[in-house]
Structure formats: structure tokens, C-alpha cells
Amino acid sequence: MKPGIEWRQPRAAVENEQFADDLHAALSRIPKAISPKYFYDEVGSRLFEQICDLPEYYPTRTELALLQTHAADMAAQFGERVQLVEYGAGALRKVRLLLDAIPRDNLQFVPVDISGPHLLSACDGLAGDYPGLAIHPLVADFTRQHALPACVEGSRRVGFFPGSSIGNFTPAEADAFLRLAAAELAGGGLLIGIDLVKDEDVLHAAYNDVEGVTAAFNMNLLDRARKELGAEFPTDGFQHLAFYNPAYRRIEMHLRAIRPLELQLGGEIYVFNEGETLHTEHSHKYTVEGFQALAARAGFKPGKVWTDPNHWFAVLWLEA
Ligand code: AVI
């Protein structure tokens, strides 16, 4: 690890046990459903990066274009001195556009991510490209209480949550996260990317790419269960399923049993009927006004909005 990067350990990291407990709970409920956070081991994080470059997956390139065009205007909302906290930091690709728009001396960067190895290698790359930048990676589940480093005197704390990742939360989880963020960002604000409601065909294509990368990303959850927890099930028994559910304005991803089958996990047997699914992810699509109302209920004051000509994606500034 490069000098200048301060390494902060997760507080409670018995990750396998948590995965096993959550998978047992997921397979016991009706309908079966698990948190999408289990997509993101090293393999899953790499597959997600490939998804971001797919021609069908418009959110990444649309948001990047918004950041490229408006970074200076976005950074102008932050104030002079900033502690920039990136929630779910991943590859640290988008934040570079913001970092370029803020004088380095006035900046402390705190990327927060649950995947330690991935975060640290991304920070190494960033430190090489941004010498002198104060980087304080924090390996943590940012949806739970976590301890951020103290802000430098006179700084505002600004959150950055790009990628429309908030769409993967249930409305209750989104509300809880926004409340937590509004509290820890008080006096600063949050810059957040959201995916907008749009034509269903565009959405369907984005989650059913022809190369099958999204399918591999979804199936990786089962690979993890086999490798990390010793789960046993027929490898050819499940298929990727993704569709738009207009009632909830969300894409749903599932792993569907193509025939009746059993999944064994830690001495328990879970039965899948033909066509039964394990719901692995929802990806909510918002309107700008709907999201601003959600944020206002959580304690934010809606500010500037940047969107693309198709109105497929938006980046919102929210004062905390
Ligand atoms: C991370 N998140 C915003 C992605 C999404 O679009 O909901 C995850 C994803 N799932 C399938 N493709 C991409």
C-alpha cells in the first residue's frame, strides 16, 4: 500500500458467518430473497465493472458524461474545504472527475466500501495518480453506523453516492440510508446519482445484455454460496431472470430454478419448485421530484439537478 493511505479495519468482519446466516434466512422466507450486497466479492466487483462498459448498460456512461460536463458546477456546491465521502466506492472511476475540480490542498477523500481488497487496490491506483491527496479508505458497510475520520477544521463533509446504487435499496432502506447520511453530512450535502423512469425496452436490454455478463454477475451469488459456504445444488439448475415491474417502478433480478431441485446449505435442505426464484436484486427507477420528496423527508433540502438530454439519468445535489 502506498504511503499516505490510512487503513481502517472493519469493526465486525465475520463475513462468511453473516453470509451463511443471511442465505439461510433468504431461503427460508416466502418468496425467497437476499440482499444484492452479496454480489460484490472480487469476482462480482469485476463483473460489475464489465457491466458498466456494456453498450446496453446506459447508466454508467450517462452519469460519467454528466460528471464530465458539470463537475465544476457540482464542486461549486460543496464549499471551499471538503471532506469528500464516497459511499460504496468501488473502482473510484467517477470520483476522479470531482477530484479534478477541487484544489487538492482543500480536500480529504474518504472512500467507503465493503470489499476491502478491491477498495485498497483502487486507492493504490488513485494515490499514484493524485500525489499529495489525503486518502482515508474505510472498509465498512456504509448502510450501518460507521465511524468517519474527523473533518479537518473548517471543512464541510460532502457525500458522493453515484451509480444509482440507491436504486438497489428498498424504499425503507433508501429512507434509512438517507437519514443516516443527512445526520453525518449535516452542514454539508450529498451528491447522488439516480436512474430515471424510462421506456421499458431500454431498461430490459440494460439488464439482459447479449454477452451474458449480467447473467454471470447474478449467478456469481450461487458460485459464492458453493465456494464459501459449501452449498450443494445442481449447477445447471438455475437461470438468470431480469424484468421490469411497473407496479414498483423497478427492475427485478432473480435466480430461477429451471426444474424442481434441492439446495443444501449447512445441513438444511431448501426445496425450489420449477420456476421458483431467489430474488437477488431490485433496481428502482425514480422521477426527480419523487426522489427529492424522499430526500426531503429524510432531512435534506433539494438543490441543483443535472440530467442528460434523454432524461435517462440525473445527478442531484441535496443540502444536509
Ligand atoms: C449497482 N447498481 C446500481 C446496478 C443497477 O443497475 O442496479 C447493479 C446491476 N445489476 C445488474 N446490472 C447492474
Side-chain angles (χ1 to χ4, degrees):
M1 188 186 310
K2 299 242 172 14
I5 298 183
E6 182 195 323
W7 163 241
R8 292 163 69 88
Q9 285 285 354
R11 257 188 292 160
V14 196
E15 284 170 16
N16 261 16
E17 268 180 46
Q18 188 66 54
F19 182 25
D21 289 352
D22 287 354
L23 189 54
H24 277 292
L27 294 167
S28 305
R29 64 174 66 96
I30 304 170
K32 297 175 171 67
I34 190 161
S35 163
K37 74 182 178 192
Y38 291 111
F39 285 144
Y40 298 95
D41 65 343
E42 266 200 84
V43 173
S45 298
R46 242 182 288 120
L47 285 167
F48 179 63
E49 279 173 41
Q50 285 179 38
I51 288 176
C52 292
D53 290 332
L54 291 170
E56 298 96 330
Y57 194 73
Y58 62 85
T60 309
R61 64 171 184 275
T62 310
E63 189 181 40
L64 272 170
L66 289 172
L67 289 165
Q68 264 150 6
T69 310
H70 302 290
D73 192 21
M74 292 170 182
Q77 317 300 312
F78 299 170
E80 282 275 295
R81 298 178 75 80
V82 181
Q83 183 187 80
L84 187 64
V85 179
E86 181 169 358
Y87 297 112
L92 301 179
R93 191 165 151 201
K94 293 171 189 161
V95 78
R96 289 167 181 251
L97 297 163
L98 290 179
L99 297 176
D100 290 341
I102 307 169
R104 214 160 294 176
D105 291 348
N106 296 350
L107 182 61
Q108 218 190 351
F109 179 49
V110 183
V112 186
D113 201 285
I114 200 164
S115 167
H118 200 64
L119 176 64
L120 293 182
S121 88
C123 283
D124 273 353
L126 190 76
D129 295 341
Y130 289 76
L133 175 65
I135 307 173
H136 306 270
L138 174 60
V139 180
D141 177 351
F142 63 86
T143 62
R144 303 204 174 158
Q145 282 299 337
H146 49 262
L148 292 173
C151 264
V152 170
E153 182 85 30
S155 298
R156 291 173 92 200
R157 189 176 270 159
V158 168
F160 180 47
F161 194 26
S164 65
S165 298
I166 194 147
N168 299 135
F169 296 175
T170 63
E173 288 166 346
D175 179 69
F177 166 71
L178 288 170
R179 283 174 198 277
L180 186 148
E184 75 180 4
L185 302 172
L190 176 66
L191 188 72
I192 186 165
I194 57 166
D195 196 13
L196 300 177
V197 174
K198 64 182 63 62
D199 189 283
E200 286 188 25
D201 292 344
V202 175
L203 288 169
H204 187 269
Y207 293 84
N208 290 281
D209 64 277
V210 291
E211 276 182 58
V213 184
T214 310
F217 174 69
N218 197 9
M219 300 291 247
N220 181 50
L221 194 137
L222 290 174
D223 287 345
R224 285 194 68 188
R226 185 184 308 104
K227 280 187 273 181
E228 294 171 32
L229 309 178
E232 288 177 31
F233 51 88
T235 37
D236 62 350
F238 289 93
Q239 65 182 187
H240 166 71
L241 172 69
F243 60 90
Y244 185 64
N245 183 337
Y248 295 97
R249 288 183 167 171
R250 70 188 187 199
I251 286 282
E252 292 187 11
M253 289 216 314
H254 298 252
L255 290 159
R256 177 165 63 184
I258 57 175
R259 57 175 186 273
L261 57 83
E262 290 180 354
L263 187 155
Q264 280 193 50
L265 177 69
E268 301 287 335
I269 295 180
Y270 297 98
V271 174
F272 280 76
N273 298 316
E274 182 179 342
E276 192 178 349
T277 71
L278 172 62
H279 188 164
T280 48
E281 185 184 65
H282 29 230
S283 188
H284 290 89
K285 310 305 166 189
Y286 288 99
T287 61
V288 168
E289 299 71 26
F291 193 81
Q292 285 178 326
L294 190 72
R297 283 195 294 277
F300 286 102
K301 184 167 160 269
K304 266 194 137 170
V305 178
W306 299 268
T307 186
D308 57 292
N310 291 321
H311 293 276
W312 281 1
F313 201 93
V315 177
L316 275 62
W317 172 245
L318 304 166
E319 291 273 348

PDB file of all heavy atoms in Angstrom, residues 93 156 196 233 248 253 264:
ATOM      1  N   ARG A  93     -13.683   5.397 -10.257  1.00  0.00           N
ATOM      2  CA  ARG A  93     -13.531   5.964 -11.600  1.00  0.00           C
ATOM      3  C   ARG A  93     -14.208   7.334 -11.673  1.00  0.00           C
ATOM      4  O   ARG A  93     -13.617   8.305 -12.129  1.00  0.00           O
ATOM      5  CB  ARG A  93     -14.189   4.973 -12.563  1.00  0.00           C
ATOM      6  CG  ARG A  93     -13.943   5.208 -14.008  1.00  0.00           C
ATOM      7  CD  ARG A  93     -14.352   3.935 -14.744  1.00  0.00           C
ATOM      8  NE  ARG A  93     -14.798   4.216 -16.087  1.00  0.00           N
ATOM      9  CZ  ARG A  93     -15.566   3.389 -16.789  1.00  0.00           C
ATOM     10  NH1 ARG A  93     -15.971   2.256 -16.254  1.00  0.00           N
ATOM     11  NH2 ARG A  93     -15.923   3.686 -18.014  1.00  0.00           N
ATOM     12  N   ARG A 156     -16.395  21.192   5.101  1.00  0.00           N
ATOM     13  CA  ARG A 156     -17.747  20.639   5.077  1.00  0.00           C
ATOM     14  C   ARG A 156     -17.628  19.184   4.646  1.00  0.00           C
ATOM     15  O   ARG A 156     -16.800  18.846   3.791  1.00  0.00           O
ATOM     16  CB  ARG A 156     -18.616  21.369   4.051  1.00  0.00           C
ATOM     17  CG  ARG A 156     -18.962  22.779   4.406  1.00  0.00           C
ATOM     18  CD  ARG A 156     -19.665  23.414   3.209  1.00  0.00           C
ATOM     19  NE  ARG A 156     -21.114  23.265   3.283  1.00  0.00           N
ATOM     20  CZ  ARG A 156     -21.931  23.364   2.228  1.00  0.00           C
ATOM     21  NH1 ARG A 156     -21.455  23.562   1.034  1.00  0.00           N
ATOM     22  NH2 ARG A 156     -23.229  23.249   2.384  1.00  0.00           N
ATOM     23  N   LEU A 196     -33.497   7.185 -13.858  1.00  0.00           N
ATOM     24  CA  LEU A 196     -34.858   7.707 -14.007  1.00  0.00           C
ATOM     25  C   LEU A 196     -35.796   6.706 -14.705  1.00  0.00           C
ATOM     26  O   LEU A 196     -35.339   5.845 -15.480  1.00  0.00           O
ATOM     27  CB  LEU A 196     -34.816   9.019 -14.791  1.00  0.00           C
ATOM     28  CG  LEU A 196     -33.986  10.143 -14.128  1.00  0.00           C
ATOM     29  CD1 LEU A 196     -33.945  11.386 -15.021  1.00  0.00           C
ATOM     30  CD2 LEU A 196     -34.545  10.509 -12.747  1.00  0.00           C
ATOM     31  N   PHE A 233     -25.938 -27.870  -4.926  1.00  0.00           N
ATOM     32  CA  PHE A 233     -27.148 -27.765  -5.758  1.00  0.00           C
ATOM     33  C   PHE A 233     -26.717 -28.067  -7.184  1.00  0.00           C
ATOM     34  O   PHE A 233     -25.524 -27.970  -7.506  1.00  0.00           O
ATOM     35  CB  PHE A 233     -27.760 -26.351  -5.661  1.00  0.00           C
ATOM     36  CG  PHE A 233     -26.757 -25.251  -5.903  1.00  0.00           C
ATOM     37  CD1 PHE A 233     -26.502 -24.784  -7.183  1.00  0.00           C
ATOM     38  CD2 PHE A 233     -26.018 -24.707  -4.843  1.00  0.00           C
ATOM     39  CE1 PHE A 233     -25.549 -23.791  -7.403  1.00  0.00           C
ATOM     40  CE2 PHE A 233     -25.076 -23.712  -5.061  1.00  0.00           C
ATOM     41  CZ  PHE A 233     -24.838 -23.256  -6.344  1.00  0.00           C
ATOM     42  N   TYR A 248     -43.894  -1.372  -9.174  1.00  0.00           N
ATOM     43  CA  TYR A 248     -42.899  -0.854  -8.217  1.00  0.00           C
ATOM     44  C   TYR A 248     -41.844   0.025  -8.893  1.00  0.00           C
ATOM     45  O   TYR A 248     -40.893   0.451  -8.255  1.00  0.00           O
ATOM     46  CB  TYR A 248     -42.193  -2.012  -7.496  1.00  0.00           C
ATOM     47  CG  TYR A 248     -43.104  -2.816  -6.614  1.00  0.00           C
ATOM     48  CD1 TYR A 248     -43.668  -4.001  -7.075  1.00  0.00           C
ATOM     49  CD2 TYR A 248     -43.417  -2.388  -5.333  1.00  0.00           C
ATOM     50  CE1 TYR A 248     -44.514  -4.745  -6.270  1.00  0.00           C
ATOM     51  CE2 TYR A 248     -44.260  -3.122  -4.524  1.00  0.00           C
ATOM     52  CZ  TYR A 248     -44.814  -4.302  -5.000  1.00  0.00           C
ATOM     53  OH  TYR A 248     -45.649  -5.033  -4.204  1.00  0.00           O
ATOM     54  N   MET A 253     -34.157  -8.649 -10.405  1.00  0.00           N
ATOM     55  CA  MET A 253     -33.300  -9.762 -10.842  1.00  0.00           C
ATOM     56  C   MET A 253     -33.573 -10.940  -9.909  1.00  0.00           C
ATOM     57  O   MET A 253     -33.704 -10.773  -8.687  1.00  0.00           O
ATOM     58  CB  MET A 253     -31.819  -9.392 -10.789  1.00  0.00           C
ATOM     59  CG  MET A 253     -31.438  -8.391 -11.853  1.00  0.00           C
ATOM     60  SD  MET A 253     -29.794  -8.618 -12.576  1.00  0.00           S
ATOM     61  CE  MET A 253     -28.756  -8.891 -11.191  1.00  0.00           C
ATOM     62  N   GLN A 264     -28.685 -27.630  -0.706  1.00  0.00           N
ATOM     63  CA  GLN A 264     -28.269 -27.986   0.658  1.00  0.00           C
ATOM     64  C   GLN A 264     -27.311 -26.943   1.186  1.00  0.00           C
ATOM     65  O   GLN A 264     -26.346 -26.588   0.518  1.00  0.00           O
ATOM     66  CB  GLN A 264     -27.526 -29.320   0.648  1.00  0.00           C
ATOM     67  CG  GLN A 264     -28.444 -30.510   0.585  1.00  0.00           C
ATOM     68  CD  GLN A 264     -27.687 -31.785   0.904  1.00  0.00           C
ATOM     69  OE1 GLN A 264     -26.976 -31.852   1.915  1.00  0.00           O
ATOM     70  NE2 GLN A 264     -27.809 -32.772   0.035  1.00  0.00           N
TER      71      GLN A 264
END
